[in-house]
Amino acid sequence: MMDFGFKLSKSATIDLDRAGTERYEKLCALSPDARTCMACGSCSATCTAASFSGMSVRKVILGLQRGQDVRPLLSACMLCGKCTLVCPRGINTRRLILNLSKSYD
Amino acid sequence: MIDRIPSGFHPFVLPFLAGMIFVLSYCVYGIIKILVQLPGEDRRRFYLSLVTPKTVLKNIRDIFCDCLFHVKLWKRNRLLGYMHSSIAFGWFMLIVLGHVEVILFLPHRIRLFYYPIFFNYFVAETDSTIQGSLLFFLMDFFLLVVLSGIVLAMVKRVRSRLFGMRRTARPSLTNQIGLYCLWAIFPLRLLAESFTAHISGGSFLTVPANWVFRQFLGNDLNMLPTWWAYSIVLGVFMVVLPFSRYMHIPAEMMLIPMRNAGLKIRNARKGFARVQVYSCPNCGVCIDACPMSVNKANIKDCTVYLTRQLRRGNERRITEISDKCLLCGKCQAVCQVGVDGPGIRILNRAERNYALKPDYSSIDGTAIGRASAGGRVAYYGGCMTQLVPSIGRSVTSLLEKAGIDYRWIDRDGGICCGRPMWTAGRLKEAEEIVRKNEELIRATGAVTLVVSCPICYRMFRESYHLPDIEVVHYVPYIQALIAEGKLQVEHDDICYAYHDPCELGRGCQLYEEPRQLLSQVVRLSEAEKNRAESVCCGGSLGSLSLSFAQRENMTRAALENLYHSKADAIATACPLCQATFSRYADRPVRDIAEIVDLHAKANKQNKQAI
């Protein structure tokens, strides 16, 4: 096949009508502060695990809201707590991640 | 001295006997249960320590100093120390002297183990010897000592501040019963011995009291109710002992040899942890010490309440208390028994099951390490240093000024040291991170690893296996550079108050080095509470559930403690403390590395070398 320098990518459409948000709701019940995330990306900028699994709490919360599987993101999280310290909304992200890890059963 | 009662028995000893048999069998059962719960390796180690003369001597010394003389409490507050040691040592001496009396005067009765306790009831004085009077004098003297302790204990219940304690633990029901029994035992003993003093003999306390009582209660039959009361109160005390805080008396005698044997808590609820929980005397010294206690709502999250809930098996509260703690370790530092509150909490966190386990297999530690190979010295800033870049800049600037061939191995991100994962109770995952990091550090080929974050430093010291690499915190490292003349520093007149970070001070015992280094460049003044009693900044990653709002009061309280020194600025040696303090402090907060870097210049020879 000829290389044009670009290619067709897979559709990135997210059908929010079909997305299952049960896990997000479950998480919000345990860590209500998840709802206050404004997706500023401070956590993405500081995350130690970002370079290994693309982890960031922003992506995790966004993924859950869209009903996506966020387990690959979480797999390299080392719970170092930098995201907690930089979060302008004061979200206890470490607790959020622990609660989420517990909810997969 | 002759036997007054030929049979050597009277029914009033029965309550005491029942209580004593109950408590002894409970203790024997407890000891066997705990020994069975210990892992095999620990059990062997414990037994071995019991036949090692050096450890045995240390055990005896510690039991005398800690359980009887309460040396640590004396150092905290003399009144508090006197109160505890007078009751403990006085009671111990009464028991010992009771036995001496029986051995000297009625050796054939020594098999009846209530005899030393109720000696005065069973004997009649026939002649008086110096030996006998001396013993009677000593008995009365130690009874007086105990009584003075009891009076102080009563005063402490209403005015604990006199004893240096702002708050004390709320007594539970069994603790209250035990307490009132303990208060009643010795006045009743005085009464009982006084009623019989004209028959059995006595000394400066019991003889005059006897004379007073006989003025209006002349009949000898009056002595029996007091002996009955004395025995009943002793019996009740013995029966509630295993269910109250007084269990700490036998438990501590088990805790000390176990600790000296070098045992570590391996299970949150069994074995050594159980001994620690039962050794908590519920004194409540940890309440004032706990940084969380500035919030009234968090007072019940201190270690004294953790041990209580662990004994009750209240799972909801155990989880809550375990998760909330900052793990600053101050409760352990001030505890006269040395209950490992943080250790117990971490293992209780570890009891939880997480369905989703992280997978670090894709991380190639060796490759990351090779990318920054080359220097003899590797500098590991850690995650927290990345959030406070000025520290990393200062440390590397100092290394450059000293002409050190170094590499900053995690400048562009690396692997976490694993301590945050460890404190969250996910021990296996933390081990995995540690293994990855070991690979990384070995691949750099460095011989010295300089660390600027105390959290990482503690983890490196406790959990890493890097046999050919020397791991140092930058404070002693820079000190050495100055001593070797590779760095020259100037002294300035600015006054700094040094804040001991929990992990560096209580965690790694580095108290004096930071002070020595700081005083080479600036003036130093001490905070109100310093060194082992330094107050946590409130930013600790140890807590899983404290919110930012709850932490604010703690940070402000820690700052007040530092402002007490009237210093111009605050110095610390932990990026997390600096970040936390900077949020609320009214004066500059700087890391030691920054301060030293401001005052350091390179040696000329170093410049040529570069």
Side-chain angles (χ1 to χ4, degrees), chain A residues 33 46-49 51-53 70-72 74-87 89-92 94-105, chain B residues 323 352-360 362-364 368 383-384 386-387 414-416 419-421 423-424 426 433 539 541-548 551 576 580 583:
Chain A
D33 48 0
T46 51
C47 186
T48 310
S51 58
F52 305 115
S53 68
V70 295
R71 278 176 290 186
L74 285 169
S75 70
C77 174
M78 302 176 215
L79 227 54
C80 71
K82 275 194 280 186
C83 45
T84 311
L85 293 173
V86 295
C87 181
R89 305 290 280 175
I91 301 175
N92 191 341
R94 293 177 79 225
R95 188 169 174 76
L96 186 146
I97 293 164
L98 287 172
N99 281 335
L100 188 58
S101 308
K102 222 179 340 185
S103 77
Y104 280 96
D105 43 9
Chain B
D323 282 5
R352 240 156 287 165
N353 251 329
Y354 293 97
L356 186 65
K357 303 238 180 332
D359 174 24
Y360 304 116
S362 61
I363 301 175
D364 189 353
I368 307 172
C383 304
M384 293 303 138
Q386 283 175 359
L387 285 187
I415 306 175
C416 170
R419 180 134 182 101
M421 192 59 112
T423 56
R426 306 191 70 175
I433 299 177
L541 286 173
S543 173
L544 298 179
S545 58
L546 278 178
S547 66
F548 269 97
R551 288 168 189 257
L576 188 49
T580 313
R583 225 171 275 147

Side-chain angles (χ1 to χ4, degrees), chain B residues 93-400:
Chain B
M93 284 311 289
L94 284 177
I95 297 169
V96 170
L97 289 171
H99 282 82
V100 171
E101 280 180 332
V102 178
I103 292 167
L104 278 180
F105 300 117
L106 305 165
H108 60 287
R109 295 288 194 199
I110 193 67
R111 272 170 295 133
L112 300 170
F113 74 112
Y114 54 84
Y115 240 70
I117 313 295
F118 304 113
F119 183 76
N120 283 20
Y121 182 81
F122 289 106
V123 295
E125 196 181 31
T126 45
D127 52 348
S128 110
T129 57
I130 290 183
Q131 205 180 21
S133 337
L134 181 68
L135 267 176
F136 277 142
F137 169 78
L138 284 176
M139 285 301 264
D140 272 20
F141 173 74
F142 282 111
L143 187 58
L144 185 66
V145 169
V146 179
L147 284 171
S148 66
I150 300 282
V151 170
L152 285 177
M154 291 172 180
V155 174
K156 179 169 162 274
R157 287 281 287 165
V158 268
R159 298 253 155 172
S160 63
R161 272 169 196 267
L162 286 176
F163 297 76
M165 289 174 74
R166 212 158 84 81
R167 298 194 184 89
T168 53
R170 255 166 183 272
S172 62
L173 181 69
T174 46
N175 284 351
Q176 256 168 350
I177 299 173
L179 180 77
Y180 295 135
C181 285
L182 189 68
W183 284 2
I185 287 172
F186 299 97
L188 280 173
R189 182 181 173 123
L190 175 67
L191 272 183
E193 290 191 345
S194 303
F195 271 109
T196 33
H198 64 289
I199 305 170
S200 66
S203 190
F204 67 95
L205 215 58
T206 38
V207 170
N210 175 268
W211 185 79
V212 173
F213 291 139
R214 279 165 63 77
Q215 298 301 311
F216 53 92
L217 294 167
N219 195 328
D220 277 355
L221 285 174
N222 285 323
M223 65 176 73
L224 260 179
T226 53
W227 282 102
W228 267 101
Y230 175 45
S231 169
I232 289 171
V233 169
L234 268 175
V236 173
F237 180 73
M238 300 288 179
V239 170
V240 296
L241 186 136
F243 314 106
S244 70
R245 61 186 186 152
Y246 299 100
M247 190 60 195
H248 80 92
I249 303 168
E252 208 185 336
M253 286 195 270
M254 182 100 174
L255 175 76
I256 288 171
M258 282 192 162
R259 188 167 43 214
N260 288 346
L263 299 199
K264 292 221 161 56
I265 306 177
R266 296 191 197 267
N267 186 308
R269 307 287 169 89
K270 292 179 183 167
F272 192 38
R274 197 137 201 92
V275 182
Q276 295 233 353
V277 166
Y278 279 100
S279 297
C280 170
N282 276 236
C283 63
V285 169
C286 52
I287 302 179
D288 284 340
C290 182
M292 289 196 293
S293 68
V294 293
N295 292 336
K296 224 172 175 187
N298 294 127
I299 289 178
K300 292 223 160 174
D301 297 318
C302 299
T303 302
V304 49
Y305 292 105
L306 174 69
T307 58
R308 188 177 291 180
Q309 301 299 351
L310 277 168
R311 288 180 67 168
R312 286 185 190 161
N314 182 344
E315 293 300 328
R316 188 186 61 84
R317 284 288 293 142
I318 294 172
T319 311
E320 215 173 272
I321 299 177
S322 304
D323 282 5
K324 209 165 273 174
C325 176
L326 294 156
L327 303 180
C328 72
K330 193 173 169 186
C331 53
Q332 194 184 1
V334 298
C335 180
Q336 76 270 21
V337 181
V339 175
D340 183 6
I344 297 175
R345 283 180 172 92
I346 291 177
L347 283 171
N348 269 306
R349 293 174 183 182
E351 299 265 285
R352 240 156 287 165
N353 251 329
Y354 293 97
L356 186 65
K357 303 238 180 332
D359 174 24
Y360 304 116
S361 55
S362 61
I363 301 175
D364 189 353
T366 317
I368 307 172
R370 276 204 196 114
S372 48
R376 284 184 61 76
V377 174
Y379 167 53
Y380 181 90
C383 304
M384 293 303 138
T385 307
Q386 283 175 359
L387 285 187
V388 192
S390 56
I391 297 176
R393 271 202 304 272
S394 308
V395 174
T396 47
S397 153
L398 283 167
L399 292 175
E400 270 159 31

Side-chain angles (χ1 to χ4, degrees), chain B residues 389-519:
Chain B
S390 56
I391 297 176
R393 271 202 304 272
S394 308
V395 174
T396 47
S397 153
L398 283 167
L399 292 175
E400 270 159 31
K401 281 179 188 170
I404 302 291
D405 175 25
Y406 78 96
R407 296 286 184 281
W408 186 348
I409 60 171
D410 62 343
R411 168 175 274 175
D412 303 316
I415 306 175
C416 170
C417 66
R419 180 134 182 101
M421 192 59 112
W422 179 272
T423 56
R426 306 191 70 175
L427 312 183
K428 280 210 185 85
E429 289 82 351
E431 292 274 332
E432 262 184 71
I433 299 177
V434 168
R435 297 289 97 80
K436 288 282 168 195
N437 231 338
E438 282 174 353
E439 279 173 26
L440 189 157
I441 291 160
R442 271 195 219 108
T444 61
V447 287
T448 309
L449 182 73
V450 179
V451 185
S452 62
C453 171
I455 306 170
C456 308
Y457 182 53
R458 181 166 184 189
M459 195 64 183
F460 277 115
R461 273 170 50 126
E462 290 178 2
S463 308
Y464 279 66
H465 181 66
L466 295 165
D468 303 321
I469 301 169
E470 184 200 7
V471 182
V472 281
H473 187 261
Y474 74 79
V475 167
Y477 191 73
I478 292 173
Q479 268 186 307
L481 290 181
I482 295 173
E484 286 167 24
K486 286 184 176 163
L487 271 179
Q488 282 179 340
V489 287
E490 287 160 353
H491 196 275
D492 201 337
D493 203 39
I494 307 172
C495 183
Y496 275 91
Y498 175 62
H499 165 74
D500 287 275
C502 310
E503 301 279 43
L504 194 65
R506 288 183 286 264
C508 303
Q509 306 299 317
L510 281 181
Y511 294 115
E512 298 312 320
E513 291 85 345
R515 288 184 167 76
Q516 287 161 3
L517 180 59
L518 264 181
S519 49

Side-chain angles (χ1 to χ4, degrees), chain A residues 14 19-21 62-69:
Chain A
I14 295 158
T21 54
L62 207 57
L64 288 173
Q65 286 167 342
R66 292 171 174 176
Q68 292 168 328
D69 184 13

Side-chain angles (χ1 to χ4, degrees), chain B residues 5 7-15 17 114 121-122 224 227-228:
Chain B
I5 316 243
S7 64
F9 176 79
H10 191 281
F12 83 78
V13 303
L14 286 175
L17 266 182
Y114 54 84
Y121 182 81
F122 289 106
L224 260 179
W227 282 102
W228 267 101

